[in-house]
């Protein structure tokens, strides 16, 4: 299409660009550098820093490359003496409001060796101890553009550094007002937390009435920190770690959405986690570093000797485990696993139970958490819509979904849809992140959400209004008008004791309105645990354990006949992977986890395992996508991936079928049972069977909130300092 | 739904973001300043964050965030007033009241603002006290005028 | 259009009835400028006096007629006689004038400043014709035709003066023909940039996107300028009619007036006018049965100079911070909510009805080639006759300052044009004809029409500092050169003003100014250094005096002069002694007084009362001299 291509020359190079592109975009695409400060490729042009000025033949002034569209035959120059002068002048103006001892210090060449000025000049004066030293974009610009002789007198803003919020500090004395943080906050949260305040030379970035970010409704997604070119916004935990050595792309397992992330590593330590595109929620952005590098991480196997846990070698530990397990009758073994583990771990774990211990008693945590709701969850998952249905929705109904902290990535999608014209409805007993934006907010009494939803479903089913509340009638009316309804079931809704009622209502509603459903569950690998068959009632692939045909088929693959479902006796050996031991119990406990036991907990054996940042493997998100985990750093000390520990025990017990050399080997075997299982695949979850037996004792509803923010059985608030502040 | 005194105002507006400045002007006129509560209620009505509203309000010099004084003094510092010594009037008032532009005296009796132009340039310099503009002011006349308020 | 004929006939009849009425008519200028000068107190006095006299005289409040220096202006028309105008009326003078006029029929030629009748009346009374006053004679009044003569709150007055005729004529034309007529008039944007109005309309009409939006920019933010305020207060319908014509021509159905909130009276009059239009069927659905529908919303600005910039204005209308965005796209393509948007200045719209009524050709002949028509200016500062004036473009600065303005009391120094984004022109430019190009060539701009005349008592370094402080406070803060550049300029000028200037500072001033001019995002930022650049160019010696001699020749910069009493001039009248609150002046009666410079606060209270110009600013003396003078003996 000839009329969409534009031909121009940049610095003498003939260049082709698409119509509508800016000069800056065209230059970047062709590897031509034009200095910028305010521009971010992911945001619309802003044109505030003016550093990207260029000369265009026949144009009287020097327009900015970021805001000028390419035109046919344009002759652009990006680096002339005149431009250099003007840029240098602009930079000097900028530096008159940005402490620059990092550039001007006479001792800076020796800074690394001697650190003589480390304490003399505080952080705020911005010498070499500025947290952004070496990563600061101003430093790079000065290197490219150069400064003239005379600098303008510094005007130090002298505003207090804002330390009070969790996760990041804000030192607006260093701010150059490029506006990236304001714009990124606005684009993700639609009139979010950060805004420009005042005007003229008193312009600053801040919140309403100078509130803390916590008070101002910030979701701590950290997007502002990611884009800050200076040391103004700095992550507390990472502040002094300097430049990362490696970046490893992996997947976040802290909820079921499975966001891609970049793990930043330096030596053998994860020092940060950043989004690949868009943003992460507070857990993924700020929780991971502290979680996986916590001082309580286990580094070696331990065994209880004379009532005390003592470090032992792996050989000793394996031998001790074998001893316990061999003497355990099939009915006396139970295994409990976390749904935060990768699918490979979960698959090997259930195989271990079924093959080595000849029992179906392997239970992933969600079964305890969701109880009656388990079958409803499976039914919803079978029909789960991909997240991008939100883009095409004309109405969205959220059930107890608070996107402020966890799942804040969904908020951007929801609000973007609303901006586009979709209606947003929310049902939630409390004030929450969506109540401000929602077109309608139905506020049932606490614990009555399921009831309200059931009434709504009834209303939708019958034409008669009956004596329903007005709000409910209005909402039903709105939903009837929707052509493309998406229902989102928030993770907290799933923990209610009456979640089965709620889920039934959701199903009915979806059926009546032909709605798509999305269920952003809290567990990182809920779907993986179901597909791997990490439940007594479910076999790998998701078929019912009661299905003899399936049992036979799997038995053939494994070379061992599978046990029939049998009730659990009082277990004599309890194998816990990523699960906390309960305080009481007579059983002998094998505790396999990343962190030490909590005070007062008891286990006979403690086996150190790897966190998700330390393994290769896969998880399956709530859409059914198989997402890769990549090893960013080695596990601490002698810790091993969970599947490897299980395999070593099985091998020591002479059980064949546990000789995998890598996660890929396990994936290959899983693919035989779970159709199409490989990293990157988008699986159909249709094979999942709602075969769960109702749990015996009713669940403890009070634990719900805890389940929500757990990793490997530990509440994240116990591991991540800042998350405690969010709990209020 | 909305707090008292807001609902009846909101009824005259569509709820689009375009309404923001008019709404703020309404409340500024009504209470003499923009309170935190006002920002909260307007945020709920327009479905935009309080921070955003504050950002907009703090851009415009018409909006203030503290309770005004009982009497309002404005000194015009438009160009015509400046060249006719308006600055001297401003100095006098600042000295007399002991406050800067945009502040309120400790006893809450006066608030004081220096404004860009009141549009009465041909009568420069001018001072506005409680909405009444006084033309061709001098420091002496001003002191006399203010003494009427003591 | 028969509706319109009816409206007009009725209005004409009412107007004629008023003018032929037997009872006297009193016209009082109660625009903001008049009110500032005390018009409302005068109104009070008129009412009281009329009651006392038992007169049935009607009082009509009118807008500003122009010569604000004469405010408050009161005109009295006795049946069968011309309107006689009285200037600087105080409540004290009212009873005397009314008694004389209404009871005795005696026009008091000594108090009268002019009349609106013919020569014969002048011969008879010795009172000059109002429009023969030195300030008014050189003017050509097109836009201000009705200001001060009709009641702005009565739409019939406007209708009786050919009001809405231009609009009715436009309705009978094809939109393209209207645009052609406006193009033929040569009218250029009166907001200051001077873009050809007809061209702008054509672009906007041709832009894709619907509906189109029309905005009248009445955010008259230039300090020292009040043309729009006067027009809106004195003849609001002219602007509204212009908007109707514009809306019809570009195909818009909604218009906004974005007006400064600092102009409460103009807002009231606009609202009133709009309500009346609606009543008469001149606004709303199917106007005058033509099928054309149009509505107007008033949006008050919230105090931000930069909102005069069109993209910032649009942001503000959308409820956002008034920060300009890069252009293109221009508002005429993508403006308010991304719709094609026509933004014209108040005066531009105010001119349109006249063009439609009299033809583009007629308007074009009024000015000079390329700079057609007349333009209003607010002529203020140190001239004798301050006020709102209207002259054809191409009139020289000299004619404006010395004929219309009557010159200055002290020697003329400069004239500042174009508001804070303009520049200061010196005596050498006095013969420059005022037009868009010439002003730019001199390093200033036409701007919206503020003309501030400066004499020797104005310090231009201080004035540059004033404008840059204004620019610093009013910068939106978005782009680097404007946000920081203005601050650096202000700080450098502050140094100079406080006597700490170094020769190198002049280089800083011009470097930073150049950077701003070349790299700022919007026109406001690019033009903000103009006051510095123009004063550096034409009044460099003043900077030198401040930097090298540490002296402010105009006696404005407090640190760079001190007051002394000229013993030759001082008569020892003693008036200055009691007004000095620093108790710095001593002296015997009839003996020359002295100022203790160590006590003097330079508040100028003494200068205000001195009738002999005896107190003068001189260079700061050395410490020894100071002590010498400072030791008084009682």
């Amino acid at each position: 299409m000839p009329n969409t291509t534009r031909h121009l020359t940049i610095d003498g190079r003939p260049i082709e660009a698409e119509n509508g592109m800016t000069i800056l975009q065209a230059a970047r695409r062709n590897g031509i550098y034009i200095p910028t400060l305010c521009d971010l490729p992911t945001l619309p042009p802003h044109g505030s820093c003016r550093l990207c000025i260029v000369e265009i033949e026949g144009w009287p002034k020097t327009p900015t490359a970021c805001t000028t569209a390419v035109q046919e035959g344009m002759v652009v120059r990006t680096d002339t003496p005149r431009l250099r002068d003007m840029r240098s002048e602009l930079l000097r103006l900028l530096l008159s409001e940005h402490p620059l001892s990092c550039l001007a210090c006479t001792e800076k060449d020796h800074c690394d060796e001697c650190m003589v000025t480390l304490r003399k000049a505080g952080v705020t004066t911005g010498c070499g101890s500025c947290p952004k030293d070496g990563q600061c974009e101003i430093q790079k610009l000065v290197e490219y553009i150069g400064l003239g002789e005379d600098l303008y007198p510094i005007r130090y803003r002298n505003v207090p550094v804002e330390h009070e919020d969790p996760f990041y500090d804000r030192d607006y004395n260093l701010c150059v007002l490029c506006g990236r943080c304001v714009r990124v906050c606005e684009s993700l949260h639609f009139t979010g937390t950060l805004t420009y305040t005042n005007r003229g030379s008193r312009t600053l970035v801040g919140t309403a009435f100078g509130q803390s970010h916590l008070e101002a409704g910030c979701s701590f997604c950290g997007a502002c920190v990611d884009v800050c070119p200076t040391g103004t916004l700095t992550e507390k935990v990472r502040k002094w770690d300097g430049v990362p050595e490696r970046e490893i792309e992996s997947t976040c397992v802290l909820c079921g959405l499975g966001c891609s992330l970049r793990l930043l590593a330096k030596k053998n330590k994860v020092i940060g986690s950043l989004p690949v595109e868009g943003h992460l929620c507070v857990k993924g952005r700020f929780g991971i570093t502290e979680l996986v590098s916590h001082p309580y991480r286990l580094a070696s196997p331990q065994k209880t000797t004379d009532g005390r846990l003592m470090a032992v070698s792996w050989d000793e530990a394996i031998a001790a485990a074998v001893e316990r397990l061999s003497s355990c009758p099939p009915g006396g073994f139970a295994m409990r696993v976390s749904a935060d583990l990768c699918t490979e771990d979960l698959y090997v774990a259930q195989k271990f139970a079924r093959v080595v211990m000849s029992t179906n008693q392997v239970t992933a945590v969600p079964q305890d958490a969701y109880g009656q709701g388990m079958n409803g969850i499976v039914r919803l998952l079978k029909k789960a819509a991909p997240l991008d249905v939100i883009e095409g929705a004309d109405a969205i109904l959220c059930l107890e979904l608070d996107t402020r902290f966890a799942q804040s990535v969904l908020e951007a999608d929801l609000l973007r849809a609303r901006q586009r014209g979709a209606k947003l409805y929310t049902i939630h007993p409390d004030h929450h992140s969506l109540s401000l934006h929602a077109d309608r907010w139905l506020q049932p009494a606490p614990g009555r959400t399921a009831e309200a939803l059931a009434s709504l479903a009834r209303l939708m089913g019958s034409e008669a209004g009956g004596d329903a509340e007005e709000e409910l009638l209005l909402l039903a009316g709105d939903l009837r008008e929707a052509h493309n309804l998406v229902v989102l079931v928030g993770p907290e809704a799933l923990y209610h004791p009456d979640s089965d009622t709620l889920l039934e209502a959701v199903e009915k509603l979806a059926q009546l309105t032909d709605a798509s459903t999305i269920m952003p569950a809290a567990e990182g690998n809920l779907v993986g645990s179901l597909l791997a068959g990490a439940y007594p009632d479910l076999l790998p692939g998701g078929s019912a354990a009661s299905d003899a045909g399936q049992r036979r088929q799997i038995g053939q693959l494994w070379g061992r006949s599978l046990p029939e479902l049998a009730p659990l006796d009082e277990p004599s050996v309890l194998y816990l992977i990523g699960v906390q031991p309960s305080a009481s119990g007579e059983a002998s406990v094998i505790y396999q986890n990343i962190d030490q036991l909590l005070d007062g907990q008891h286990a006979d054996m403690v086996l150190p395992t790897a966190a998700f940042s330390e393994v290769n493997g896969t998880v399956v998100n709530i859409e059914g996508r198989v997402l890769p985990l990549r090893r960013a750093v080695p596990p601490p000390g002698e810790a091993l991936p969970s599947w490897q520990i299980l395999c070593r025990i099985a091998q020591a017990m002479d059980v064949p079928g546990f000789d995998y050399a890598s996660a890929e080997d396990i994936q290959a075997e899983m693919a035989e049972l779970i159709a199409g299982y490989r990293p990157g695949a988008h699986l159909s979850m249709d094979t999942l069977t709602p075969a769960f037996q109702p749990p015996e004792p009713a669940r403890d509803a009070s634990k719900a909130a805890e389940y929500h923010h757990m990793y490997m059985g530990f509440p994240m608030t116990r591991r991540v300092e800042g998350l405690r502040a969010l709990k209020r | 739904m909305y707090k008292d005194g807001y609902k009846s105002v909101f009824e005259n507006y569509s709820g689009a973001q375009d309404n923001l400045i008019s709404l703020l002007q309404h409340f500024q006129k009504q209470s003499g300043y923009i309170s935190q509560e006002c920002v909260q209620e307007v945020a709920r009505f327009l479905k935009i964050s309080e921070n955003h509203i504050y950002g907009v309000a703090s851009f415009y010099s018409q909006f203030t965030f503290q309770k005004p004084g009982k009497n309002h003094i404005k000194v015009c510092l438009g160009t015509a007033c400046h060249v006719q010594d308006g600055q001297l009037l401003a100095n006098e008032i600042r000295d007399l009241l002991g406050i800067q532009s945009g502040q309120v005296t400790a006893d809450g009796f006066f608030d004081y603002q220096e404004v860009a132009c009141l549009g009465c340039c041909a009568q420069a310099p001018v001072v506005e006290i409680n909405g009444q503009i006084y033309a061709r002011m001098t420091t002496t006349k001003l002191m006399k005028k203010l003494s009427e308020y003591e | 259009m028969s509706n319109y004929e009816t409206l007009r006939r009725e209005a004409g009849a009412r107007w004629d009835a008023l003018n032929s009425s037997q009872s006297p008519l009193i016209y009082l200028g109660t625009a903001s400028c008049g009110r500032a000068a005390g018009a409302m107190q005068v109104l009070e006095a008129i009412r009281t006096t009329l009651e006392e006299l038992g007169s049935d005289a009607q009082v009509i409040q009118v807008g500003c007629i122009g010569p604000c220096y004469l405010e408050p202006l009161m005109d009295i028309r006795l049946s069968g006689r011309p309107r006689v105008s009285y200037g600087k009326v105080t409540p004290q003078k009212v009873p005397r004038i009314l008694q004389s006029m209404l009871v005795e029929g005696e026009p008091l030629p000594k108090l009268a400043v002019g009349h609106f009748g013919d020569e014969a009346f002048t011969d008879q009374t010795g009172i000059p014709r109002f429009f023969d006053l030195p300030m008014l004679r050189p003017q050509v009044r097109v836009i201000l035709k009705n200001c001060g003569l009709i009641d702005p709150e009565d739409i019939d007055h406007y209708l009786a003066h050919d009001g809405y005729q231009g609009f009715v004529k436009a309705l009978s034309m094809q939109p393209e023909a209207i645009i052609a007529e406006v193009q033929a008039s040569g009218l250029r944007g009166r907001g200051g940039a001077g873009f050809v109005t007809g061209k702008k309309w054509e672009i906007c009409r041709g832009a894709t996107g619907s509906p189109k939006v029309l905005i009248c920019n009445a955010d008259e933010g230039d300090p020292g300028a009040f043309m729009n305020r006067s027009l809106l207060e004195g003849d609001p319908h002219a602007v509204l009619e212009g908007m109707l014509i514009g809306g019809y021509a570009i195909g818009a159905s909604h218009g906004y007036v974005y007006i400064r909130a600092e102009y409460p009276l103009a807002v009231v009059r606009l609202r009133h006018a709009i309500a009346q239009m609606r009543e008469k069927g001149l606004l709303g659905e199917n106007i005058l049965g033509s099928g054309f529908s149009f509505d107007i919303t008033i949006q008050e600005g919230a105090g931000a100079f930069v909102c005069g910039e069109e993209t910032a204005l649009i942001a503000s209308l959308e409820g956002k911070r008034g920060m300009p965005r890069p252009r293109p796209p221009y508002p005429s393509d993508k403006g308010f909510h991304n719709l094609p948007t026509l933004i014209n200045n108040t005066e531009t719209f105010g001119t349109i009805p006249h063009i439609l009524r009299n033809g583009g050709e007629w308007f074009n002949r009024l000015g000079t080639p390329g700079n057609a028509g007349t333009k209003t200016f607010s002529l203020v500062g140190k001239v004798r006759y301050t006020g709102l004036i209207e002259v054809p473009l191409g009139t020289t600065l000299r004619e404006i300052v010395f004929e219309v303005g009557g010159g200055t009391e002290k020697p003329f120094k400069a004239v500042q044009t174009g508001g804070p984004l303009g520049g200061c022109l010196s005596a050498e430019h006095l013969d420059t004809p005022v037009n868009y190009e010439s002003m730019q060539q001199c390093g200033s701009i036409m701007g919206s029409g503020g003309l501030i005349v400066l004499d020797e008592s104005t310090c231009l370094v201080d004035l540059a500092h004033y404008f840059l402080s204004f620019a610093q406070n009013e910068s939106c803060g978005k782009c680097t050169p404007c946000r920081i550049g203005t601050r650096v300029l202000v700080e450098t000028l502050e140094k100079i003003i406080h006597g700490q200037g170094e020769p190198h500072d002049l280089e800083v001033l011009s470097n930073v100014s150049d950077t701003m001019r070349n790299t700022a995002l919007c026109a406001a930022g690019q033009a903000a250094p103009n006051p510095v650049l123009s004063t550096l160019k034409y009044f460099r010696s003043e900077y030198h005096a401040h930097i090298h001699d540490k002296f402010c020749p105009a006696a404005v910069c407090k640190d760079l002069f001190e007051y002394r009493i000229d013993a030759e001039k001082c008569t020892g009248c003693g008036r200055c002694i009691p007004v000095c609150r620093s108790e710095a002046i001593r002296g015997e009666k009839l003996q020359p007084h002295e100022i203790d410079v160590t006590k003097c606060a330079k508040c100028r209270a003494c200068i205000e009362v001195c009738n002999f110009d005896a107190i003068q600013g001189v260079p700061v003396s050395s410490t020894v001299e100071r002590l010498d003078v400072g030791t008084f003996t009682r």
Side-chain angles (χ1 to χ4, degrees), chain A residues 50 89 96 198-201, chain C residues 303 321 472-473 475 487 515 519:
Chain A
R50 316 305 289 169
E89 189 79 28
S96 77
N198 304 321
R199 68 163 187 238
S201 50
Chain C
R321 290 168 62 87
Q472 182 191 357
N473 290 331
S475 160
R487 180 180 56 74
T515 309
T519 63

Side-chain angles (χ1 to χ4, degrees), chain C residues 177-190 196-199 201 348 351-352 354-356 358-374 393:
Chain C
I178 300 171
I179 292 172
E181 195 68 53
V182 175
Q183 293 233 33
S185 77
L187 175 66
R188 295 169 68 176
R190 295 304 192 219
V196 178
T197 304
K199 187 83 201 151
W201 288 25
T348 311
T351 312
I352 294 291
H354 304 285
I355 292 175
L356 261 285
N358 301 318
E361 199 45 40
W362 160 84
F363 186 78
N364 207 333
R365 277 199 304 273
L366 284 175
T368 45
N371 280 275
T374 55
L393 285 176

Side-chain angles (χ1 to χ4, degrees), chain C residues 327-475:
Chain C
R327 300 177 306 176
Y330 288 91
S332 40
D333 280 324
K334 278 192 160 94
F336 184 60
H337 289 305
N338 280 330
L339 299 167
T341 303
L342 174 72
I343 304 184
N344 276 140
N345 177 268
T346 310
E347 186 178 336
T348 311
F349 280 123
T351 312
I352 294 291
H354 304 285
I355 292 175
L356 261 285
R357 212 167 45 233
N358 301 318
E361 199 45 40
W362 160 84
F363 186 78
N364 207 333
R365 277 199 304 273
L366 284 175
T368 45
N371 280 275
T374 55
K375 164 97 192 75
T376 60
F377 293 94
S378 66
L379 182 60
V380 296
K382 310 277 177 133
V383 278
R384 285 194 177 84
Y385 312 139
T386 57
L388 181 69
I389 65 163
E390 180 174 357
V391 291
L393 285 176
T395 309
T396 63
L397 282 172
R398 187 182 301 281
E399 288 170 283
I400 294 176
V401 174
F402 288 92
E403 289 181 29
V404 181
T408 51
E409 303 264 352
K410 292 182 185 172
F412 169 87
K413 186 190 260 182
V415 53
Q416 205 279 338
T417 78
L421 309 179
C424 291
L425 304 179
S426 66
E428 63 180 278
H429 300 105
L430 278 175
D431 291 313
T432 311
V434 176
N435 65 44
Y436 292 96
E437 284 73 25
S438 66
M439 289 293 104
Q440 200 135 33
Q441 275 154 21
C442 300
S444 181
I445 58 167
M446 172 92 114
S448 58
L451 285 177
I452 295 144
V453 179
L454 312 168
D455 66 13
E456 280 198 332
S457 64
T458 312
C459 169
L460 288 176
V461 181
D462 172 74
L463 191 68
H465 175 256
Y466 163 79
F467 279 124
L468 265 296
S469 306
F470 179 84
Q472 182 191 357
N473 290 331
E474 297 292 337
S475 160

Side-chain angles (χ1 to χ4, degrees), chain A residues 625-644:
Chain A
R625 292 181 203 277
V626 183
L627 304 165
L629 297 182
R630 296 200 185 86
R631 179 178 142 127
V633 292
E638 296 169 60
L640 292 171
S642 279
W643 64 266
Q644 283 184 20

Side-chain angles (χ1 to χ4, degrees), chain A residues 102-221:
Chain A
C102 68
L103 300 167
C105 178
T106 49
E107 294 167 47
K108 75 173 171 172
D109 292 341
H110 313 289
C111 197
D112 273 348
E113 301 154 35
C114 325
M115 289 289 190
V116 283
T117 53
L118 188 66
R119 285 297 143 227
K120 257 195 285 178
V123 175
T124 48
T125 61
C127 87
S129 56
C130 170
K132 206 71 173 206
D133 191 31
Q135 302 166 81
C136 170
E137 293 185 32
I138 302 262
Q139 289 175 337
K140 285 175 201 153
L141 286 170
V142 170
E143 208 171 293
Y144 176 83
I145 296 168
L147 290 176
E149 288 286 294
D150 297 303
L151 291 172
Y152 298 115
I154 295 266
R155 176 249 206 168
Y156 187 67
R157 292 197 185 100
N158 203 12
V159 292
V161 184
E162 298 170 14
H163 290 298
E164 67 273 32
D165 280 308
F167 306 121
Y168 51 87
D169 292 333
R170 302 179 296 278
D171 182 355
Y172 287 113
N173 297 301
L174 299 175
C175 177
V176 291
L177 287 160
C178 66
R180 286 184 188 182
C181 54
V182 173
R183 287 178 291 141
V184 82
C185 188
E186 229 170 59
S187 78
L188 291 172
H189 303 290
F190 298 87
T191 76
T193 301
L194 287 176
T195 175
Y196 286 115
T197 58
N198 304 321
R199 68 163 187 238
S201 50
R202 286 167 52 241
T203 310
L204 259 187
V205 171
T207 58
F209 301 98
Q211 288 170 331
S212 72
H213 281 200
L214 204 52
E215 294 165 323
C218 175
S219 61
F220 296 94
C221 73

Side-chain angles (χ1 to χ4, degrees), chain C residues 224-555:
Chain C
F226 55 90
M227 297 77 51
N228 295 350
R229 175 186 65 66
S230 268
L231 182 59
L232 290 170
E233 286 177 359
D235 197 11
H237 286 287
V239 178
L240 295 169
E241 184 184 350
M243 289 179 70
L244 281 180
I245 297 169
Y248 178 69
I250 64 159
S253 57
H254 205 106
Y256 294 86
V257 183
Y258 188 88
I259 180 168
R260 289 185 85 199
E262 288 88 336
Y263 289 170
L265 185 62
V267 174
V268 167
R269 295 221 161 131
L270 265 178
R271 289 198 197 285
H272 195 84
I274 286 174
Q276 287 183 326
M277 283 170 81
R278 218 166 255 140
E279 239 168 66
K280 301 269 183 194
L282 285 161
L283 198 66
E285 295 295 316
N286 192 14
I287 298 171
L288 295 175
S290 64
F292 171 59
S293 301
F294 194 75
D295 214 333
I296 294 177
T297 307
I298 295 176
Q299 171 67 51
E300 287 180 51
F305 171 73
V306 71
C307 288
E309 200 277 347
E310 51 185 20
T311 59
L313 187 154
I314 288 171
S316 178
L317 264 186
E318 290 173 351
K320 300 175 184 155
R321 290 168 62 87
M323 308 217 287
R325 59 155 177 79
R327 300 177 306 176
Y330 288 91
S332 40
D333 280 324
K334 278 192 160 94
F336 184 60
H337 289 305
N338 280 330
L339 299 167
T341 303
L342 174 72
I343 304 184
N344 276 140
N345 177 268
T346 310
E347 186 178 336
T348 311
F349 280 123
T351 312
I352 294 291
H354 304 285
I355 292 175
L356 261 285
R357 212 167 45 233
N358 301 318
E361 199 45 40
W362 160 84
F363 186 78
N364 207 333
R365 277 199 304 273
L366 284 175
T368 45
N371 280 275
T374 55
K375 164 97 192 75
T376 60
F377 293 94
S378 66
L379 182 60
V380 296
K382 310 277 177 133
V383 278
R384 285 194 177 84
Y385 312 139
T386 57
L388 181 69
I389 65 163
E390 180 174 357
V391 291
L393 285 176
T395 309
T396 63
L397 282 172
R398 187 182 301 281
E399 288 170 283
I400 294 176
V401 174
F402 288 92
E403 289 181 29
V404 181
T408 51
E409 303 264 352
K410 292 182 185 172
F412 169 87
K413 186 190 260 182
V415 53
Q416 205 279 338
T417 78
L421 309 179
C424 291
L425 304 179
S426 66
E428 63 180 278
H429 300 105
L430 278 175
D431 291 313
T432 311
V434 176
N435 65 44
Y436 292 96
E437 284 73 25
S438 66
M439 289 293 104
Q440 200 135 33
Q441 275 154 21
C442 300
S444 181
I445 58 167
M446 172 92 114
S448 58
L451 285 177
I452 295 144
V453 179
L454 312 168
D455 66 13
E456 280 198 332
S457 64
T458 312
C459 169
L460 288 176
V461 181
D462 172 74
L463 191 68
H465 175 256
Y466 163 79
F467 279 124
L468 265 296
S469 306
F470 179 84
Q472 182 191 357
N473 290 331
E474 297 292 337
S475 160
C476 82
K478 182 174 176 179
C479 78
T480 311
C482 180
R483 183 184 71 245
I484 307 180
T486 50
R487 180 180 56 74
V488 173
L489 288 179
V490 167
E491 283 169 1
T492 312
L493 288 165
E494 244 157 40
K495 252 176 86 184
I496 298 175
I497 284 172
H498 291 125
Q500 286 138 16
E502 301 161 77
H504 163 75
D505 287 335
L506 295 184
E507 220 173 288
V508 171
L509 290 180
S510 63
N511 281 349
V512 175
S513 298
D514 275 344
T515 309
M516 289 175 66
R517 218 149 64 149
N518 285 314
T519 63
L521 192 156
C522 75
Q526 289 162 11
N530 276 347
V532 173
L533 287 168
S534 63
T535 49
L536 268 180
K537 193 162 165 198
Y538 303 124
F539 301 94
R540 208 175 182 85
S541 62
E542 287 203 30
Y543 284 89
H544 285 297
H546 282 72
I547 293 172
H548 298 289
D549 311 336
K550 307 292 176 201
F551 177 50
C552 174

